[in-house]
Amino acid sequence: AMSIEMLARMADAWDMIDGNDEVRVAILTGAGGHFSSGSDLSQMHNPPDDEWTARFKVDPELQWKSFLRNYQLRKPLIVAVEGTALAGGTEILQASDIRVAGRSAKFGITEPRWGLFPMGGSTVRLRRQISYTRAMEMLLTGRKITAEEALEWGLIGRVVEDGQALNEAQKLAEMIGENGPY
């Protein structure tokens, strides 16, 4: 799950990527065999009293920037998904340009299962990226879908063997980097 500190650091990473002319493409991936299960809800409801929480109090838009909801990178973003990409994990995926997933990856807008609204932008983005009826199925049921379904529905662009998503993303990043500057 994405902690308050992690969200702040992601917003900082987007600034670093956009501010560095040497960076031509970025890859976002998870750790420990999973992409992301979304925000750490316990921290969202009981934030720690630390420097990271203080940043969110000063800049309420920081959370939306971290999820790329109100901020668009000027560089291509590739997402490499292994394991689960649920709730905010699937929401941030929708802000990317190229999406690669391991065969056993699972995706879902699971907020409805908890009586929550998907605040990361899915109610707008998802309906623009996949068919309306598939988007509504994801948004209203909270059902998890497989990598094969995500590929068939157009949510992701490639399915690779488990453990190979980052390698495939790196190959794509190299091809993008070999092109002329934009």
Side-chain angles (χ1 to χ4, degrees), residues 87-103:
T90 291
E91 291 201 279
I92 196 166
L93 171 130
Q94 295 167 56
S96 67
D97 301 297
I98 298 175
R99 303 159 192 171
V100 180
R103 190 161 306 287

Side-chain angles (χ1 to χ4, degrees), residues 79-140:
V79 170
V81 176
E82 298 285 354
T84 56
L86 303 175
T90 291
E91 291 201 279
I92 196 166
L93 171 130
Q94 295 167 56
S96 67
D97 301 297
I98 298 175
R99 303 159 192 171
V100 180
R103 190 161 306 287
S104 66
K106 300 274 190 247
F107 302 86
I109 303 298
T110 54
E111 288 89 343
R113 300 181 75 151
W114 310 109
L116 300 172
F117 187 82
M119 299 288 292
S122 287
T123 57
V124 174
R125 284 186 188 152
L126 195 58
R127 297 178 348 179
R128 292 177 179 168
Q129 295 180 11
I130 66 176
S131 76
Y132 177 82
T133 58
R134 296 295 194 188
M136 295 311 293
E137 181 178 338
M138 288 185 75
L139 289 165
L140 297 173

Side-chain angles (χ1 to χ4, degrees), residues 24-25 171-181:
R24 303 271 308 280
V25 61
K171 290 176 189 174
L172 291 163
E174 287 173 15
M175 288 192 293
I176 292 168
E178 291 170 357
N179 294 332

